[in-house]
DNA sequence: AACATAATCAACCGCGCGCTG
DNA sequence: TCAGCGCGCGGTTGATTATGT
């Protein structure tokens, strides 16, 4: 319950690490493992608190840390996971090999967040930053959002991402507005939606609502259907949950202890490797085709997505084996 | 070249959880 | 049951670097 007194101790060095300190820490962990972080600084001859040592190791010195820019795929994975998990950076990091929670958090705050805002998408809710009553006024934002997929140049295996779902919601909202107005407006829905979402990006990729397995049939034939039969956002979200779309969970470090891995929420589905018997192995625990609903049950916050997914999960799950 | 501002990211802080005695 | 300890997590800070004027 109580706070660790570790960092309250006086006389311990703070601030940037010197190369000498780094080397001491690396040497010690190579020889003995980290063991108790609290005891480590003394054993390693470091005038630091254990917390500082742990942070330095996990965020910077770990041998499996991946350096360099995030790829478009990594970025998309972060966005998708964030839409489901919220600011659960460690959980998100569990899906990105070699990336630390701190790195992902920084990348989110400095890059992705801004990008989403520019696209007119609320980075917290992953919903378009517009209201239903003013959909048409938000057309510039919609257009920007529509180009988002193209900008990211996504992996084609990703069927629908959070942004696409947001687009679907907006499209739905627009149609609702138009439908409710019940006027013979000159507003050409088919034409407009194609312009909004691009000719080969969004509509063509949406599966037929009546047949979720049919990926060849998009919604471009919307004008053949009554408006009220148009897919609801809830239904569309289901397609986001392609189990192939998120990489399997991986350990944040080959040196992670068993108890560290235990901190990850998906307890039931993890397999642990005994890293102590083989320290060089990549301590990978896999997520064997875990349905998205299960992840959500464990990890999702009380976000918009959870509400939607709970509803979706109560229906027959098209991707369950 | 000098300064101001923005962006980046390593590191710190404090909270809360799980374990243990 | 409860309190202390150790640890991990998410939020925040501040030093450094990049970019603009």
């Amino acid at each position: 319950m109580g706070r660790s007194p570790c960092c309250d101790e006086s006389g311990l060095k703070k601030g940037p690490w010197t190369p000498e300190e780094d080397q001491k820490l690396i040497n010690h962990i190579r020889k003995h493992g980290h063991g108790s972080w609290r005891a480590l600084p003394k054993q390693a001859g470091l005038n630091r608190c254990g917390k500082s040592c742990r942070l330095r190791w996990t965020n910077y010195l770990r041998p499996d840390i991946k350096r360099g820019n995030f790829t478009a795929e990594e970025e998309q994975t972060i966005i998708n996971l964030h839409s489901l998990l919220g600011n659960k950076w460690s959980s998100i990091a569990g899906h990105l090999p070699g990336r630390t929670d701190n790195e992902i958090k920084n990348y989110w705050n400095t890059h992705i967040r801004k990008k989403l805002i520019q696209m007119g998408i609320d980075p917290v809710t992953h919903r378009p930053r517009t209201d239903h009553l003013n959909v048409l006024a938000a057309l510039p934002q919609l257009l920007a959002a529509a180009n988002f997929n193209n900008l990211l140049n996504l992996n084609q295996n990703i069927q629908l991402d959070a942004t696409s779902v947001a687009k679907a919601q907006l499209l739905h909202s627009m149609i609702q507005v138009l439908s409710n107005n019940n006027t013979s407006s000159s507003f050409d829905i088919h034409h407009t939606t194609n312009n909004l979402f691009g000719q080969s990006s969004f509509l063509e990729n949406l599966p037929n609502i009546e047949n979720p397995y049919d990926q060849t049939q998009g919604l471009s034939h919307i004008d053949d259907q009554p408006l009220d039969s148009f897919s609801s956002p809830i239904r569309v979200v289901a397609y986001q949950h392609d189990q192939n779309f998120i990489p399997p969970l991986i350990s944040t470090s080959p040196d992670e202890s068993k108890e560290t891995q235990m901190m990850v929420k998906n307890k039931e589905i993890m397999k642990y490797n005994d890293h102590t018997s083989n320290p060089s192995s990549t301590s990978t625990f896999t997520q064997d085709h875990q349905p998205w609903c299960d992840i959500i049950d464990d990890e999702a916050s009380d976000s918009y997505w959870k509400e939607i997914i709970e509803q979706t999960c109560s229906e027959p799950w098209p991707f369950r084996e």
Side-chain angles (χ1 to χ4, degrees), chain A residues 77-96 104 108 123-126 162 240-241 246-247 249 264-266 287 290-306 309:
Chain A
T77 301
I78 293 168
I79 293 169
N80 287 318
L81 286 167
H82 187 273
S83 74
L84 295 166
L85 306 175
N87 295 354
K88 304 286 183 189
W89 304 117
S90 61
S91 297
I92 294 171
H95 292 277
L96 290 162
I104 292 168
W108 174 271
V124 177
T125 63
H126 292 252
Q240 181 187 8
H241 303 146
I246 287 196
L249 279 166
V264 184
K265 306 295 184 202
N266 306 330
Q287 178 188 353
Q290 183 194 20
W292 269 91
C293 291
D294 296 349
I295 299 178
I296 300 315
D297 286 346
D298 268 2
E299 299 189 41
S301 62
D302 54 351
S303 65
Y304 159 76
W305 293 112
K306 189 176 180 183
I309 289 154

Side-chain angles (χ1 to χ4, degrees), chain A residues 126-192:
Chain A
H126 292 252
R127 300 177 80 167
R129 298 169 70 208
T130 181
D131 58 73
H132 288 198
L133 300 176
N134 198 22
V135 171
L136 295 179
L139 280 176
Q141 291 182 348
L142 292 170
L143 288 165
N147 288 325
F148 195 37
N149 271 350
N150 296 336
L151 287 174
L152 291 174
N153 190 22
L154 299 179
N155 182 338
Q156 292 303 306
N157 290 332
I158 299 173
Q159 293 186 350
L160 275 183
D161 52 60
T163 312
S164 295
V165 174
K167 292 173 194 169
Q169 291 177 282
L170 264 172
L171 179 59
H172 180 63
S173 300
M174 291 176 66
I175 290 168
Q176 274 191 330
V177 167
L178 293 169
S179 179
N180 290 342
N181 285 346
N182 198 22
T183 62
S184 56
S185 162
S186 60
F187 192 76
D188 178 342
I189 292 174
H190 189 178
H191 176 74
T192 305

Side-chain angles (χ1 to χ4, degrees), chain A residues 17-28:
Chain A
W17 281 63
T18 64
E20 291 75 23
E21 287 176 311
D22 284 345
Q23 204 52 53
K24 277 184 184 177
L25 184 57
I26 291 168
N27 289 342
H28 180 83

Side-chain angles (χ1 to χ4, degrees), chain A residues 188-254:
Chain A
D188 178 342
I189 292 174
H190 189 178
H191 176 74
T192 305
T193 50
N194 271 332
N195 282 343
L196 278 174
F197 298 111
Q199 293 183 347
S200 61
S201 57
F202 179 64
L203 291 175
E204 279 79 357
N205 291 334
L206 264 178
N208 180 358
I209 185 62
E210 297 303 324
N211 178 8
Y213 298 97
D214 181 2
Q215 307 260 341
T216 63
Q217 196 174 4
L219 292 176
S220 55
H221 57 288
I222 181 173
D223 46 359
D224 298 327
Q225 300 178 355
L227 284 178
D228 55 8
S229 73
F230 186 73
S231 63
S232 73
I234 290 172
R235 203 74 170 93
V236 172
V237 164
Y239 303 115
Q240 181 187 8
H241 303 146
D242 184 341
Q243 292 168 16
N244 297 324
F245 133 31
I246 287 196
L249 279 166
I250 53 104
S251 164
T252 54
S253 163

